[in-house]
Structures are given as C-alpha cells and as structure tokens.
Amino acid sequence: MSDNAAPQPGPLAGIRILEVGTMLAGPYATMMLADLGAQVTKLEPAAGDISRQVGDSYFASLNRGKRSVRLDPASTRGRARLGELVADSHALLVNLKPSAIHRLGLTYAALREFNPAIVCVAITGFGLHGGDDPAFDYIVQAATGIAALTGDPAGPPTLPGYSSADNSTGLTAALGMLAQIVSGRGGQVDVCLRDVLLSQLNYHAAAYLNDGRAPQRRPHGAHSYYVPAQIFPTAEGYLALFITHDRFWKTFATEAGVAGFETMAERAARREDVLAVVTEALARDDARGWEARLRPLGIPAAAVRTLPEALDSAPEIVAAAGDYRLVASPIRIDGYTPSYGPPPRLGEHEGADPDIATAS
C-alpha cells in the first residue's frame, strides 16, 4: 500500500459490540476486537468499571479505543436504553457473577426480544449456571492445577507473574463470540475461567486421563517430555533452551562441545545426566553470548530478560493510544494498521442522555 493510499478499514469494521465488563477478562476480550475495527461500547455503572479505580494506566491497557455509556440495566429507563442498544448491536459480552448476569437480564433468553440475532457472551468463573463461588484469576489458577505445576519442586506452589487465566479466557470468549456472529445465529455463549485453564493443560490432562500419569513440577520449568528444555544458569544470567528433536540436539551438542545422548528417547530416560552435562557446558559463556551463538544455528534459545528489557528490545510492539503508550495488538493483517484511540472518559458517549445510569 502506498503512503498516499487511504487506510484500510479493520476486518471487524461495522461490528458493534456492547460490553458490561469489569477489571480484566471481559475488557481484554473486547479491546482485542476493537483493535480489529469493531465498535465497542462499555456499559458502565454510575461509578464506572471498577478498574478505573486501580489506575489510569491499568484502565487504558484494557480499554483503548472504546466508547463509554453509563447505564443501569436494573432501572426502568436503563433497561429501555439497553434494549435500544441491543437492537442495534451484534453482540453483548458480560463478565459478572452468574447471579448478577441473570438478575440484570444480560442473557440471550432475556434480550432476544430486542434482537433475535444478538450474540450474548458470559464470562464467569465456573459457568453461567455454575454458582457464584469467588473466581478471581489467581484463585482459578490454584484450583485447576496451574500453581501445583509451577515453581521449584522443593518450594511451595507458585503462581505465574501475570493474569494468565483472565487473559486466556478473554481471548477464548472473543473467539466464541466471533464464531457465533459468523454463524448468523443469535444465542448464548458460555465461557468460564476454570474450563479455559483446564483446556490449556491439554497434554498434561490427556496423559492423566488416558495413561494415569499425573504431571510433575520440575526444577527450572523443565518440560515434561523434551530434554533438555528448561531454564539453565550460565556464567552470567539465565538461558532458556528448548531442544525438541534430535537435529536440534546434534547442532547444539556440536556448538557446546558435548557428546552422547543422540536420541530423544535416551535423553528422556537419562534426564539428570543430560541436564548435568548441559549445565556444565553452558557455564562457559553468559546467557547473551549463548543466545547470540545458538540462534543463528536455528536452536531455540533466549536469554531471560525482564519486561523492561523485552519492551526496550522490541519498540515496534509499543503504540500510542491518546496519551498512553501501550503494547499494540499482536494480530497483524496485511493492508490494515490499527488506529488506537484513547480509553474513554466515563460516560463520554452518552450524547443527549447523560443520566441514564441513575434514572428509574
């Protein structure tokens, strides 16, 4: 596309999505869709999405490019306005407790009278009909085996350092929503954090369900099947090394000056011997040095970096959204460059009806 060509609309241009979202999972799902051109309108309570209270940068990281309307679906006037918005929208995404979703009438069964083609997506902890047990991200990680699989075996279970359950569930919900929109049928989509995390434990779960083999927590995040595939200490810093097949091993062994263990079966059977040999070899150079040596050879290896170091090394992934610098959409589509709008001010897009949040 030439520099003078008109910008291409996003692939979701014309898709209108309503969001009754709070904190992370729901807002992340709809932000990914807004980045692709969908019009996303947050329906917020009078005080706003609670994440506004966490901090401006936090809110911006999940809500760029959206619209904001204050609306109380429990009030008479708010319900009427919700019906108008639903009639003109393709989808509604909600992440609240199941009891609140049902009480506020934010399901397909309650909203189909306004638009039979509306797609209603519910994000909950344990399912739309699974009860109101607390289901924050870290709680679900602990409940589904993630924490038990993470950390040093000699230490306590550990949680990953970011909201993997919320983010993964947001992406899954966005996929489910788009699938139902494409089908041309309205309906209810039900996505919960518990099921998403269990589905992402795919090969671990399959090994237990089919072979009775429970997963083990291994030092340095070692992979269950591939050897060597984990984080290793070096002369300075740590290196992630991921040897998945024999050709990788042959190339690595030549560069590192080690011998033996030529097949994956042998390396898996003699895991501790392999790790000792590799650890000794990697102590001869620092992490950045090994990365520079191994990557040109096609070996999956990376020095362990902090988030600031990672962002500084990839400036192309940082985008401006109003006054904020944020991580850009990871989805790149030929001919389309997202235009990242700022996060909305509370009630910014209410027009001539600014008090619908509290009207009864």
Side-chain angles (χ1 to χ4, degrees):
M1 185 171 68
S2 70
D3 292 339
N4 296 325
Q8 295 294 310
L12 297 182
I15 299 295
R16 294 176 298 281
I17 299 169
L18 305 174
E19 174 213 302
V20 182
T22 179
M23 296 300 286
L24 208 160
Y28 182 63
T30 56
M31 185 184 73
M32 297 294 285
L33 302 174
D35 288 345
L36 295 174
Q39 181 192 87
V40 176
T41 301
K42 290 180 70 71
L43 307 182
E44 303 190 62
D49 178 348
I50 194 173
S51 68
R52 290 183 181 273
Q53 302 172 27
V54 178
D56 292 344
S57 292
Y58 184 100
F59 182 78
S61 73
L62 298 164
N63 292 286
R64 64 183 175 222
K66 299 180 186 178
R67 296 155 45 90
S68 171
V69 170
R70 290 173 295 164
L71 188 145
D72 177 8
S75 72
T76 301
R77 191 175 178 187
R79 185 69 181 179
R81 179 60 175 144
L82 175 63
E84 294 171 357
L85 292 169
V86 166
D88 192 42
S89 299
H90 295 87
L92 165 72
L93 182 142
V94 186
N95 70 305
L96 298 171
K97 289 183 177 180
S99 62
I101 295 174
H102 290 293
R103 175 173 51 82
L104 296 172
L106 298 175
T107 63
Y108 179 74
L111 295 173
R112 62 186 301 175
E113 64 174 301
F114 302 111
N115 180 0
I118 192 73
V119 175
C120 293
V121 182
I123 295 178
T124 62
F126 302 100
L128 189 53
H129 303 282
D132 280 356
D133 285 346
F136 289 94
D137 183 289
Y138 282 7
I139 299 301
V140 177
Q141 289 193 48
T144 55
I146 302 294
L149 275 172
T150 308
D152 193 295
T158 302
L159 293 166
Y162 79 109
S163 300
S164 63
D166 279 340
N167 285 301
S168 298
T169 304
L171 290 173
T172 305
L175 175 62
M177 176 195 292
L178 292 177
Q180 191 67 3
I181 290 175
V182 169
S183 78
R185 303 185 300 271
Q188 184 70 55
V189 178
D190 186 359
V191 179
C192 72
L193 276 72
R194 179 200 63 190
D195 294 0
V196 169
L197 286 195
L198 289 175
S199 78
Q200 293 192 346
L201 289 171
N202 33 50
Y203 60 83
H204 287 303
Y208 172 71
L209 293 171
N210 296 284
D211 308 319
R213 191 165 68 248
Q216 300 178 43
R217 195 185 335 157
R218 299 183 184 276
H220 307 293
H223 196 277
S224 298
Y225 294 96
Y226 304 123
V227 182
Q230 63 179 61
I231 291 174
F232 289 92
T234 69
E236 181 177 347
Y238 290 86
L239 182 80
L241 181 66
F242 206 73
I243 303 295
T244 56
H245 52 72
D246 295 340
R247 181 173 58 83
F248 279 170
W249 172 257
K250 181 178 180 180
T251 303
F252 167 77
T254 300
E255 179 65 23
V258 300
F261 314 110
E262 295 180 357
T263 67
M264 177 59 73
E266 182 181 5
R267 293 193 297 278
R270 299 180 60 190
R271 176 185 288 267
E272 297 306 319
D273 294 336
V274 173
L275 298 183
V277 168
V278 172
T279 299
E280 180 181 1
L282 292 179
R284 302 184 193 118
D285 199 350
D286 61 28
R288 297 293 179 97
W290 280 113
E291 180 183 272
R293 290 166 60 178
L294 296 175
R295 280 192 170 181
L297 301 176
I299 303 300
V304 174
R305 290 172 168 80
T306 65
L307 175 60
E309 290 171 337
L311 290 173
D312 289 345
S313 68
E316 69 278 4
I317 195 61
V318 177
D323 295 333
Y324 298 93
R325 297 174 67 236
L326 304 171
V327 176
S329 171
I331 302 172
R332 293 178 173 83
I333 297 174
D334 284 349
Y336 172 62
T337 301
S339 176
Y340 301 106
R345 299 186 304 275
L346 178 60
E348 181 179 352
H349 301 90
E350 288 166 4
D353 199 7
D355 60 348
I356 55 178
T358 56
S360 60

